[in-house]
Amino acid sequence: MLFKKSIPQLIAEANENGEHTLKRTLSSTGLIALGVGAIIGAGLFSLTGIAAAENAGPAVILSFIIAAVGCAFAGLCYAEFASMIPVAGSAYTYSYATMGEFVAWIIGWDLVLEYALAGATVAVSWSQYFNQLLMIFHIHLPDMLLKGPWEGGVVNLPAIIIVCLLSLLLMRGTQESSTVNNILVILKVGVVLIFIALGWSFINPANHDPFIPVNPGEEMVKSGQQSLMAFLKSDDFGHFGISGVLRAAGVVFFAFIGFDAVSTAAQEAKNPKKGMPIGIIGSLVICTLLYVLFSYVMTGIENYTMFKGDAKPVATAFAKTGYHFLNTALIITIIAGYTSVILVMLLGQSRVFYSMSKDGLLPKVFSDLSKRQTPWKTNAIFMVFVSIFAGFVPVSDLGHMVSIGTLFAFTLVCVGILVLRKTDPKLERPFKTPLVPFVPVMGILVCVLMMASLPIESWERLAIWLALGLLIYFVYGKKHSVIRKQHQNQQSVE
């Protein structure tokens, strides 16, 4: 039997009062700011350069568009769920209502990977820009404190410090965290617009030629010198050409995970039925437009080959404009932007664990709330967990793991819409995903295509993470499941 939660039951639990209930403090504007705060960050300021240099060249612009299309399909599905089920937990909660507890556990465990490692990824990039800011003021941190052991250092100390500080802020309260996030978002969007406006006149058309760099393996397939299967297994796959554009789409997809984080805060929205679709779709539209313009300017100012191995490509490109007096302001606002991303990722992760704990699938400690109605114990535990990853694991490995986890979550949300339209077609839907089944099916196809383009190591790490999650579920979660106990009690009464 599939153990599912009914939607009325989910909403009733979210609306009940008491010490285990989250406080509704977020407006539609706050939700959009939450989304923009999570979306614009490392994916734009760091991964754009990496994806251009290693995978797509100037065609990273197309990669952003492909990733945005996949996000648009998934975002429309998220918006329907978020308006119907305004409960903390995002895709985990939606899966519980449509596909049952087992699938919900898998997606919840996957979301932990997504948010926790996303926070760690951005913290690593934050550290690089923070060090550059210190150097402007002639403060030099030893290299051993800026890199993990796999990169020739000992520990990335600034990355650990920022994760700890923001975790402490989240323990203080959602209202305070949202206010800080809104200020950081204004600064971050401002620097993106300044970069686009000032950099546009410095674009060199030669840097966009060729727009899609040649992939030798693809050329050999076209001429019949190599089979398609041999190319797919070769080192050429994913390095420029069409395959490079697709792989870059999978890499920069990391840059779009913000609207997913919006849905984790549904239980803290003042008017979730109206606010959640606005927050999800609004933040996605705004950021997609900024991404395309930003990547076009960046690859036009500087040749994409110069971004290889560069953790701060924006500063590298901006130096070409001659506006050196703005360099310090640029770095400060990028740091502010990264800070808001880490903040939202840590918030999203804690809300998923909160929901899983409320359902009995994780120990009660993860749903204990403080007097300020925040899951402070979860924040404290993941402060340690995320800090370890941020301090010791390379940013590229973290980015790939986040991308595949996010794509997997989006795929299951699209499947959930198809299932719910079939099983409960008459449910009230304040926002309806248009063109069903076309939109969810296309969301599934685009997400799976981007997952397939990621390195095999990403799949192996995802498999290991899910295997660990399944072990925890069968050892603990299944035995302590609230809905299973309710069902057993009902059967015993009958």
Side-chain angles (χ1 to χ4, degrees), residues 431-486:
F431 176 87
K432 291 188 70 172
T433 302
L435 302 175
V436 175
F438 175 77
V439 167
V441 168
M442 286 303 297
I444 294 167
L445 291 176
V446 174
C447 289
V448 170
L449 179 63
M450 283 190 279
M451 287 176 72
S453 70
L454 289 170
I456 188 66
E457 292 84 0
S458 300
W459 286 88
E460 293 170 350
R461 290 164 185 159
L462 177 64
I464 293 170
W465 178 257
L466 291 180
L468 175 62
L470 290 176
L471 178 64
I472 295 173
Y473 173 72
F474 285 110
V475 170
Y476 181 90
K478 189 175 179 181
K479 294 178 182 178
H480 294 83
S481 166
V482 172
I483 196 170
R484 284 177 181 269
K485 288 181 179 179
Q486 290 174 346

Side-chain angles (χ1 to χ4, degrees), residues 246-403:
L246 290 175
R247 175 164 291 183
V251 173
V252 301
F253 193 84
F254 170 86
F256 286 98
I257 64 175
F259 75 82
D260 181 25
V262 173
S263 66
T264 67
Q267 200 165 326
E268 290 154 280
K270 292 180 180 178
N271 185 1
K273 291 185 177 182
K274 175 185 176 184
M276 294 312 298
I278 291 174
I280 290 170
I281 298 171
S283 59
L284 181 58
V285 169
I286 291 169
C287 293
T288 299
L289 180 60
L290 292 176
Y291 277 12
V292 170
L293 293 173
F294 188 94
S295 56
Y296 179 79
V297 171
M298 193 172 92
T299 55
I301 294 175
E302 181 65 279
N303 190 277
Y304 69 92
T305 57
M306 301 303 294
F307 298 133
K308 190 170 181 64
D310 190 351
K312 45 187 187 305
V314 179
T316 300
F318 197 75
K320 287 276 189 176
T321 65
Y323 292 104
H324 299 294
F325 65 95
L326 288 174
N327 197 45
T328 302
L330 176 75
I331 294 172
I332 291 173
T333 47
I334 289 175
I335 290 172
Y338 277 12
T339 303
S340 70
V341 177
I342 303 168
L343 182 70
V344 178
M345 291 299 101
L346 292 173
L347 182 146
Q349 173 278 315
S350 64
R351 271 48 179 180
V352 173
F353 254 43
Y354 166 84
S355 296
M356 296 174 77
S357 176
K358 286 271 288 182
D359 292 330
L361 303 182
L362 288 171
K364 184 177 177 293
V365 64
F366 292 107
S367 58
D368 284 345
L369 300 182
S370 66
K371 292 181 180 179
R372 292 178 175 272
Q373 293 179 285
T374 63
W376 69 277
K377 292 181 181 178
T378 300
N379 289 131
I381 292 168
F382 271 85
M383 177 175 69
V384 176
F385 179 78
V386 176
S387 294
I388 291 172
F389 275 93
F392 298 99
V393 181
V395 65
S396 58
D397 291 339
L398 288 169
H400 287 161
M401 290 175 71
V402 174
S403 289

